[in-house]
Amino acid sequence: MIKRPIHLSHDFLAEVLDKDSIAVDATMGNGNDTAFLAGLAKAVYAFDVQEQALQKTEERLEQLGLDNVQLILDGHQNIDKYVDEPIRAAIFNLGYLPSADKTIITKPDTTLEAIEKILRRLQLGGRMAIMIYHGHEGGSSEKEAVLNYVKQLPQEAFTAMCYQPLNQINTPPFLVMIEKLKG
Ligand SMILES: C[S@@+](CC[C@H](N)C(=O)[O-])C[C@H]1O[C@@H](n2cnc3c(N)ncnc32)[C@H](O)[C@@H]1O
């Protein structure tokens, strides 16, 4: 069956991850992406602004026996306070956490700040996956902000792609993929 954007996001990152690599989950939520990255990378830095996300993710990692994750209760825009190693792979799942407070959403300014900081720290050949959920209030302006930012990345330094359902009703999420080619 054709891959959903979320599945492609994992495959895209898995291709560059190994046991020497550092990965970032910029939007931890329930820890699905954190657990996925932790299974492949040497170490993962995972961010969320909600205590609930850290608790859920910690439980999940414990169940899986994964102990290579640093759970950080802070906005991803402050990543430079926590990570100074080169990053091999990073993922964002924008929007809100369905099982939690739906007013806590990612926001254009802080999302762009985090994307910019992570792209700067990405290794050559490193990758970023951004899942864009845009059906909620505020989602459309965040979508536009991210697309406008990614579209102006210099093509000699980054390859950027988009994977999007074309015939689904409502506002299905889609995936933006970026690979760093040059420092
Ligand atoms: C769509 S959910 C993430 C889902 C998650 N990847 C999972 O596997 O369950 C978006 C998350 O981003 C978090 N968030 C909102 N603003 C943030 C920020 N500035 N920095 C980090 N996380 C943020 C929300 O609290 C929410 O948990």
Side-chain angles (χ1 to χ4, degrees):
M1 201 166 67
I2 196 164
K3 271 177 201 160
R4 303 252 156 216
I6 187 79
H7 295 137
L8 185 60
S9 74
H10 284 192
D11 292 352
F12 174 66
L13 299 184
E15 282 177 7
V16 295
L17 281 171
D18 58 29
K19 286 293 173 196
D20 294 324
S21 36
I22 302 297
V24 171
D25 184 355
T27 52
M28 181 191 322
N30 290 328
N32 292 317
D33 299 323
T34 309
F36 160 74
L37 295 172
L40 297 172
K42 176 170 87 172
V44 179
Y45 294 88
F47 292 83
D48 207 292
V49 291
Q50 300 192 59
E51 180 69 51
Q52 181 187 328
L54 273 77
Q55 281 168 12
K56 285 247 169 136
T57 303
E58 191 167 19
E59 281 167 24
R60 186 178 207 124
L61 293 170
E62 251 174 50
Q63 281 164 8
L64 295 167
L66 294 165
D67 60 1
N68 55 343
V69 181
Q70 210 168 304
L71 301 171
I72 299 162
L73 181 62
D74 199 355
H76 40 224
Q77 65 275 16
N78 298 320
I79 185 162
D80 44 336
K81 290 191 194 155
Y82 304 92
V83 185
D84 47 24
E85 297 144 284
I87 297 165
R88 180 75 57 81
I91 190 162
F92 288 76
N93 263 266
L94 303 179
Y96 60 83
L97 187 62
S99 56
D101 181 347
K102 294 192 176 52
T103 63
I104 304 178
I105 56 170
T106 53
K107 304 258 174 61
D109 286 359
T110 40
T111 298
L112 291 189
E113 191 178 340
I115 291 174
E116 200 169 13
K117 285 180 176 172
I118 295 172
L119 288 181
R120 228 180 288 141
R121 280 166 183 72
L122 215 53
Q123 293 176 329
L124 295 189
R127 292 178 172 184
M128 176 185 288
I130 311 170
M131 280 295 303
I132 303 191
Y133 293 79
H134 53 107
H136 58 285
E137 205 179 319
S140 166
S141 56
E142 186 177 41
K143 174 187 88 170
E144 291 307 322
V146 172
L147 289 178
N148 288 337
Y149 175 79
V150 173
K151 281 178 190 170
Q152 58 77 47
L153 289 171
Q155 69 174 36
E156 63 283 2
F158 297 96
T159 300
M161 297 281 173
C162 184
Y163 184 67
Q164 180 165 30
L166 292 178
N167 63 341
Q168 266 180 44
I169 57 162
N170 302 322
T171 46
F174 65 94
L175 171 66
V176 169
M177 293 168 281
I178 304 171
E179 182 171 62
K180 188 163 182 174
L181 307 171
K182 211 168 93 174

